[in-house]
């Protein structure tokens, strides 16, 4: 019940819809009783009493009652549905918002498929209960009570004897539910795992093909497919076992009704019409009870769904703006790392150890070092994507957690190491950080990133719609679009995380030249493996295992004969010879 | 498609573009039915007939019961014949017992058949997808492919399990009820049958409207899902550019579109039940009025009247279900059309029926006047001749977008050239089996992909039968062993899809190890070390030298230190080959390559 309580804010604002739906439901159930009563009346009061004058009223009255019932049914269902889908609307908005603000930490270990299923299937499961589950439960109680009351009114012994088998039905329903519930859960899990497999296979198709692993994949998929089939078959055997039994119990009740009821009629203790009506009434009792298992099942499923939704909603947004931070218009770009140590959540090894440096506004900082040395980590701390364990990061002399998050990030242009392209036009992709930018500004940024030329070669130019993850572009083309995206927001601090790794040197050189013009007076972080990309940095930090091993300008580092010099030698060993090889 | 959906699309002009599936309201297509039935064939000898027999038995019992009850009322209860009452009661009870057994088997057998068919169908589709070529996947989003393998197939499940059998059952029921009623009282039957057309109308026509509106909802839903998927995957960019609010605006539009479509669908579907009940009530009113008149005229008995009432109650069910099956069938048409559309898709790089196995590759690669275009609009490669000798290392250099990846795509035969041919050891690639080619050619891709699972499993993907030791050795050769061991659980560390907890370079090393483990005759490295530091790269290169003894390697790189050692260097520009030769030769020539190298050093000096 706690789940329903904590999600109350999403459905309770529409409580009026819910209440109306329930009111109409009660009316509907009461009117359902009309049919057997009319039947009984027709036989006992009209036929057997030869009271033919009542006939038109009876038939007419029945039509009128059914019309009323139809209206009630319509309203009940409509209001119930509306109650559910409004809750879905709110829930989805909130979940989406939540996802937008959850920190990187959360996404590092998240499965897209799992999140998706919470936002879709679980929201749907929860709605189903709001719209139907609740009402069905109530409907069941009302229908059974009313029908039983009418039967008791006709004949107490008949009601008791013919419903004597009910406890057996209850047992069957109970056992059915106990077995079918986990079986359904298994089907769901099995299907989820099948879905994940297919998704991964399709996303990684190039890898599969490049290693010719199609047969292997078919084998893996077959396992999941067979599992899903087996789980479904198992569930259907439960069905096959219990459902006919429940039906049989119901039928036994009918038989008893016929035998005992017939006896009572013969004895004169019951009227024939009452017996006829009881044939309908008894199904009003048995039918819903057979469904009880399902209703309980929906209930527990939607509770589980609700729990999974609450889990997402309760996920901590541990990186937020402090309330008293004032908005800032512009940053100068002075950055200080003060003994910063960072460990990724759940890891034992430190990714950064005691990092200290100072970047003055307008400086270019180069970061170089082995794979996994911590270069990306440093830059991600600037934008507060993660929270360091120890130490402080300051911008313009103020600790970064004193800024509003959106101000901070709006002033840091980030070109992530892996370029991500949205399914949208090239123009919208470049203008992602500033949707209101004019086309001229977009073109300007693209020119600076050396992307304009190839964009113009495309048939629709800037209006070309790119596919998922930038399908149809070469690696370097994607990177240049990402760079243009960063330039366009005109940031005070620019981070280029290996942003030109797939771009050839000449193009890179042109991009850098353009940067020098744009980045006057701004602070730039350049992560690269090529010495040529870093050479002009005002400060180069050489990282090794999360520590700063060397620092200084290019020339200073060459003199040190350390890691940097070594990299330089590898990359430029035959510079002299090359330069001498004259044409 | 007759009608456009009336719901406005707020999200259409938004910042994201998602291709939408059309509302498909496919008419009956016999060809598709035939293909679907084909899947039933393996089971039509045993499971299907058994299920049909069980179904017939159970249905007869259901039909007989009201008649018997009516008979009891007239012959036993009214005259007060106690023995007859007992006798019939026991008879009915034993009939129900029979129905119980029949139903047990019907449910079991029919589900078995359905699940087997679904299994077969899904397997066929997935396996077929594996055979399709890059071009197919280039043009479609992962989500839309996924939906076909999962949801579209599932929507056939209901049809194959209960749909088929219910169709038969309902027809038997309807025919049965109508014939019995006719025998009991033709006049009353005709009078009541007046409502039949109304029922059919509601069942088909209203249902169709309802279905259309639900289809609209489903389309909106699928756009919403595509966006959710993308927004989760691109969340890092979104947060880096503080676009959370803007995206929420877009999502609100999507959500509102969805809500409105849904609300309309609800409005329509809520009408269904009341209308059905009303038409049913009309039937009942006729029964009461005219039926009692007939009792009065002594042309029917009270027992028959009760039987009529019961049958009338049973009448709606098969009609309603037939309408439902009809709907299901139409939806299944849409789904199966989409499924068969994929199944009919031919690989764009087909394997010839008489394709031969490629023997152990020596590594002589030849491109003969090859031209290529991905989409028939832009040319990625202009006529090009290229020769790579066995056992040598080649480097492809050139500006971004100059066609380097394209060349290696052709050598792996991910695409076929638009013109000309590609030969390995003198065999046109179009004449050899794909498996024999690709199992000997491994490629480390520019975009790495990490599967969810352990690191061990990820590397082993290159050769599933490799031992743990071999996996570790491959990791060792690419210099990945160190960082893997440092992880919390070493090689058994679990990573999620795309390997977010690893640094980009680390991911690249893993996919490198994966390709090495496959032990290829030709190794292709497409900027495989772009995100890897220079020192590690050196380690890899010296390891490769030993490992690749006598094999052909093709590498694409922008870092001069990576390519300098290559035996031959091919310089590309705008899809054309500019020059080819060793580093020294090309430097001497003083052409494009010389310019590139000079430029690099100039960058160092000036800038
Ligand atoms: N799947 C595709 N569909 C359509 N066009 C494509 C596709 N892949 C690449 N292209 C285009 O073909 C041309 C050559 O691309 P290719 O990937 O071969 O370049 P590349 O030399 O590898 O560049 P980079 O160094 O940036 O990776 C480019 O203009 C690119 O936009
Ligand atoms: N999200 C994460 N969760 C846990 N560990 C991480 C995460 N991201 C990186 N790491 C680990 O932290 C270390 C530093 O990673 P980082 O991404 O900063 O390396 P890098 O210097 O950028 O390397 P590369 O050149 O390969 O990009 C690595 O050992 C990596 O495995
Ligand atoms: Mg990195
Ligand atoms: Mg490429």
């Amino acid at each position: 019940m706690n789940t329903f309580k904590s999600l109350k804010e999403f459905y309770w604002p529409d409580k009026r819809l819910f209440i109306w739906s329930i009111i109409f439901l009660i009316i509907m159930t009461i009117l359902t009783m009309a049919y057997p009563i009319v039947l009984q009346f027709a036989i006992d009061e009209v036929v057997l009493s030869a009271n033919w004058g009542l006939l038109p009223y009876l038939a007419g009255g029945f039509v009128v009652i059914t019309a009323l019932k139809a209206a009630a049914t319509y309203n009940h269902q409509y209001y119930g549905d509306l109650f559910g889908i409004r809750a879905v609307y709110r829930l989805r908005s909130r979940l989406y918002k939540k996802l937008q603000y959850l920190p990187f930490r959360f996404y590092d270990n998240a499965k897209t498929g799992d999140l998706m299923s919470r936002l879709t299937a679980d929201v749907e499961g929860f709605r189903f209960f709001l719209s139907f589950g609740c009402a069905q439960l109530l409907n069941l109680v009302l229908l059974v009570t009313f029908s039983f009351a009418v039967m008791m009114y006709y004949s107490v012994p008949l009601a008791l004897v013919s419903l004597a088998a009910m406890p057996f039905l209850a047992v069957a329903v109970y056992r059915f539910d106990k077995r079918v519930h986990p079986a359904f859960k298994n089907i769901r899990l099995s299907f989820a795992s099948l879905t994940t497999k297919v998704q991964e296979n399709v996303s990684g198709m190039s890898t599969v093909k490049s290693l010719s692993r199609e047969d292997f994949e078919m084998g893996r998929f077959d396992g999941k497919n067979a599992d899903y089939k087996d789980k479904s078959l198992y569930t259907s055997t439960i069905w096959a076992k219990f459902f006919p039994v429940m039906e049989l119990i119901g039928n036994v009740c009918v038989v008893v009704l016929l035998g005992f009821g017939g006896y009572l009629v013969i004895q004169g203790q019951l009227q024939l019409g009452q017996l006829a009506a009881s044939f309908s009434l008894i199904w009003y009792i048995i039918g819903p009870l057979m469904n009880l298992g399902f209703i309980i099942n929906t209930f527990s499923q939607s509770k589980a769904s609700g729990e999974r939704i609450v889990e997402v909603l309760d996920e901590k947004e541990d990186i937020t703006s402090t309330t008293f931070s004032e908005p800032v218009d512009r940053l100068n770009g002075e950055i200080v790392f003060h003994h910063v140590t960072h460990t990724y959540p759940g890891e034992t090894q430190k990714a950064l150890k005691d990092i200290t440096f100072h970047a003055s506004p307008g400086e270019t900082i180069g970061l170089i070092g082995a794979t996994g040395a911590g270069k990306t980590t440093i830059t991600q701390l600037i934008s507060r994507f993660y929270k360091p364990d120890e130490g402080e990061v300051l911008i313009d002399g103020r600790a970064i957690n004193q800024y509003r998050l959106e101000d901070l990030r709006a002033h840091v242009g980030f070109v992530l190491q892996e370029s991500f392209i949205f399914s949208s036009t090239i123009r919208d992709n470049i203008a992602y950080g500033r949707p209101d930018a004019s086309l001229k500004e977009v073109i300007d940024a693209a020119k600076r990133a050396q992307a304009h030329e190839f964009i113009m070669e495309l048939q629709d130019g800037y209006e070309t719609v790119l596919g998922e993850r930038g399908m149809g572009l070469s690696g370097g083309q994607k990177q240049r679009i990402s760079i243009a995206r960063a330039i366009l927001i005109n940031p005070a601090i620019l981070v280029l995380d290996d942003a030109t790794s797939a771009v050839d040197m000449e193009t890179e050189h042109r991009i850098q030249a353009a940067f020098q013009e744009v980045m006057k007076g701004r602070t730039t972080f350049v992560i690269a493996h090529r010495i040529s990309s870093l050479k002009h940095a005002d400060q180069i930090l050489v990282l090794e295992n999360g520590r700063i091993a060397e620092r200084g300008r290019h020339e200073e580092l060459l003199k040190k004969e350390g890691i940097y010099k070594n990299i330089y030698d590898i990359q430029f060993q035959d510079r002299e010879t090359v330069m001498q090889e004259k044409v | 498609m007759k009608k456009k959906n009336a719901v406005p699309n707020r999200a259409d002009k938004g910042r994201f573009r998602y291709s939408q599936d059309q509302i498909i309201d496919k008419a009956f297509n016999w060809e598709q039915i035939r293909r679907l039935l084909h899947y039933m064939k393996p089971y039509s000898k045993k499971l299907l007939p058994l299920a049909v027999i069980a179904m017939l038995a159970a249905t007869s019992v259901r039909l007989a019961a009201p008649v018997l009850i009516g008979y009891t009322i007239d012959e036993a209860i009214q005259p007060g014949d106690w023995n007859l009452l007992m006798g019939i009661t026991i008879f009915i009870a034993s009939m129900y017992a029979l129905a119980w057994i029949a139903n047990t088997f019907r449910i079991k057998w029919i589900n078995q058949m359905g699940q087997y068919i679904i299994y077969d169908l899904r397997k066929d589709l997935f396996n077929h997808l594996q055979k399709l070529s890059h071009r197919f996947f280039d043009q479609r989003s992962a989500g839309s492919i996924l939906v076909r393998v999962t949801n579209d197939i599932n929507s056939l499940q209901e049809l194959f399990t209960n749909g088929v059998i219910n169709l038969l059952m309902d027809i038997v029921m309807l025919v049965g009820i109508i014939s019995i009623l006719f025998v009991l009282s033709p006049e009353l039957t005709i009078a009541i049958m007046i409502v039949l057309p109304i029922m059919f109308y509601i069942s088909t026509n209203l249902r169709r409207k309802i279905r259309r509106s639900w289809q609209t909802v489903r389309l909106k839903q699928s756009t919403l899902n595509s966006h959710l998927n993308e927004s989760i995957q691109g969340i890092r960019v979104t947060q880096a550019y503080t676009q959370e609010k803007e995206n929420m605006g877009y999502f609100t539009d999507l959500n509102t579109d969805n809500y409105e479509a849904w609300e309309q669908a609800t409005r329509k579907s809520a009408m269904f039940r009341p209308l059905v009940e009303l038409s049913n009530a009309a039937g009942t009113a006729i029964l009461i009025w005219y039926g009692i008149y007939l009792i009065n005229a002594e042309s029917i008995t009270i027992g028959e009247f009760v039987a009529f009432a019961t049958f009338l109650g049973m009448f709606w069910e098969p009609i309603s279900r037939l309408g439902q099956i009809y709907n299901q069938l139409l939806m299944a048409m849409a789904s199966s059309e989409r499924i068969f559309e994929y199944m009919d898709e031919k690989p764009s790089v087909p394997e010839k029926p008489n394709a031969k196995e490629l023997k152990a590759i020596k590594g002589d690669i030849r491109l003969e006047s090859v031209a290529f275009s991905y989409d028939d609009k832009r040319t990625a490669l202009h006529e090009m001749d290229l020769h790579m000798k066995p056992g040598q290392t080649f480097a492809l250099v050139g500006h971004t977008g100059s066609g380097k990846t394209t060349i290696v795509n052709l050598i792996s035969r991910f695409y076929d050239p638009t013109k000309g041919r590609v030969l390995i050891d003198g065999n046109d690639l179009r004449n050899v089996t794909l498996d024999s080619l690709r199992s000997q050619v491994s490629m480390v891709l520019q975009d790495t992909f990490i599967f969810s699972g352990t690191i061990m499993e990820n590397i082993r993907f290159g050769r599933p039968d490799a031992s743990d030791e071999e996996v570790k050795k491959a990791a060792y050769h690419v210099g990945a062993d160190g960082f893997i061991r440092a992880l919390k659980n070493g090689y058994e560390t679990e990573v999620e899809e795309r390997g977010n907890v690893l640094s980009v370079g680390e991911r690249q090393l893993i996919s490198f190890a994966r390709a090495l483990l496959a032990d290829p005759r030709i190794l292709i490295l497409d900027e495989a070390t772009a995100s890897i530091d220079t020192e590690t790269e050196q380690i890899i290169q010296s390891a490769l030298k030993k490992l690749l003894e006598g094999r052909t390697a093709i590498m694409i790189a922008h870092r001069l230190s990576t390519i300098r050692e290559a035996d031959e260097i091919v310089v590309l520009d705008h899809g054309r080959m500019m020059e080819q030769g060793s580093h020294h030769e090309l430097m001497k020539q003083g052409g494009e390559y010389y310019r590139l190298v000079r430029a690099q050093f100039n960058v160092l000096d000036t800038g």
Side-chain angles (χ1 to χ4, degrees), chain A residues 370-377 379 417 497-498 527 529, chain B residues 502-505 507 531:
Chain A
T371 290
K375 306 178 290 295
T376 301
T377 310
T379 56
Q417 201 166 2
D497 189 352
D498 224 359
I527 300 180
H529 292 298
Chain B
L502 301 171
S503 88
V504 178
R507 278 177 244 171
S531 308

Side-chain angles (χ1 to χ4, degrees), chain A residues 78 96 100 102 112 200 209 213 222 346 414 418 423-424 469 480 535-536 566 571 574-575, chain B residues 15 119 130 132 227 230 233 239 241 259 263 400 452 462 488 497 507 534-535 564 604-606:
Chain A
Y78 178 66
Y96 186 82
Q100 295 298 301
L102 280 176
T112 316
E200 213 172 56
K209 289 210 173 299
R213 280 284 89 82
D222 193 48
F414 225 109
E418 279 188 306
S423 348
S424 189
R469 288 184 171 267
R480 281 178 284 165
K535 196 207 147 203
H536 297 287
N566 191 25
Q571 290 186 8
D574 49 4
R575 175 167 177 225
Chain B
R15 55 195 328 219
Y119 167 84
Q130 302 305 303
L132 292 178
H227 176 65
E230 186 167 45
Q233 306 221 4
Q239 292 195 355
Y241 286 84
Y259 169 82
E263 206 250 2
T400 78
S452 59
K488 218 172 17 183
E497 61 186 46
R507 278 177 244 171
T534 314
E535 289 179 307
R564 193 172 37 209
L604 201 63
D605 295 333
T606 64

Side-chain angles (χ1 to χ4, degrees), chain B residues 90-241:
Chain B
I90 291 170
F91 179 67
I92 297 180
S94 48
M95 263 179 23
Y96 277 140
L98 176 74
W100 166 48
I101 296 170
N103 273 331
T104 307
F105 284 104
R106 175 183 59 105
I107 296 178
K108 196 165 140 187
W109 284 328
I110 206 66
N111 272 298
Q112 263 180 20
M113 186 181 84
Q115 293 298 341
Y116 282 132
I117 292 175
I118 291 301
Y119 167 84
D120 292 343
L121 198 60
R122 210 191 301 271
K123 182 173 167 169
D124 280 2
L125 179 60
F126 184 85
N127 289 0
H128 185 74
L129 278 178
Q130 302 305 303
K131 297 198 188 85
L132 292 178
S133 318
H134 271 53
R135 202 181 284 272
F136 175 86
F137 294 97
D138 283 353
Q139 289 157 357
R140 290 167 181 81
S141 74
S144 71
I145 299 176
L146 181 65
V147 163
R148 289 181 210 221
V149 184
T150 55
N151 296 358
D152 279 333
I153 297 233
N154 271 15
S155 72
L156 293 180
Q157 185 167 318
E158 200 40 40
L159 185 70
F160 274 122
T161 47
N162 295 316
V164 175
I165 203 82
N166 283 349
L167 183 71
L168 291 177
M169 186 160 86
D170 293 333
I171 291 173
V172 173
M173 279 277 273
L174 270 185
V175 173
I177 291 176
I178 294 178
S179 351
I180 293 174
L181 289 186
F182 252 100
V183 173
L184 289 180
S185 162
E187 310 99 291
L188 189 51
T189 309
I190 291 171
I192 293 173
M193 287 304 137
I194 294 172
V195 297
L196 199 65
I198 310 178
M199 285 188 167
F200 260 112
Y201 177 78
I202 296 173
S203 176
T204 51
N205 203 308
L206 181 61
R207 261 230 163 86
R208 186 164 63 233
K209 290 214 180 89
I210 294 173
R211 178 166 45 87
R212 286 234 180 87
S213 56
W214 281 115
Q215 269 177 345
T216 317
V217 175
R218 221 163 296 138
L219 289 185
K220 307 260 170 202
Q221 182 95 40
S222 90
T223 313
L224 196 118
N225 286 357
S226 305
H227 176 65
L228 277 178
N229 190 32
E230 186 167 45
S231 77
I232 292 173
Q233 306 221 4
I235 191 72
R236 284 158 213 266
V237 179
T238 302
Q239 292 195 355
Y241 286 84

Side-chain angles (χ1 to χ4, degrees), chain B residues 289-308:
Chain B
W289 201 330
Y290 190 57
I292 288 179
Y293 166 80
L294 286 177
I295 297 179
N296 195 18
E298 298 207 344
S299 91
I300 62 168
T301 62
I302 297 186
E304 284 165 353
F305 177 76
V306 174
F308 254 94

Side-chain angles (χ1 to χ4, degrees), chain B residues 2 53 67 145-146 165 191 202 253 332 354 361 473 528 530 539:
Chain B
K2 267 195 336 220
I53 291 171
V67 180
I145 299 176
L146 181 65
I165 203 82
I202 296 173
D253 285 349
N354 56 350
I361 293 179
K473 215 154 96 195
I539 301 175

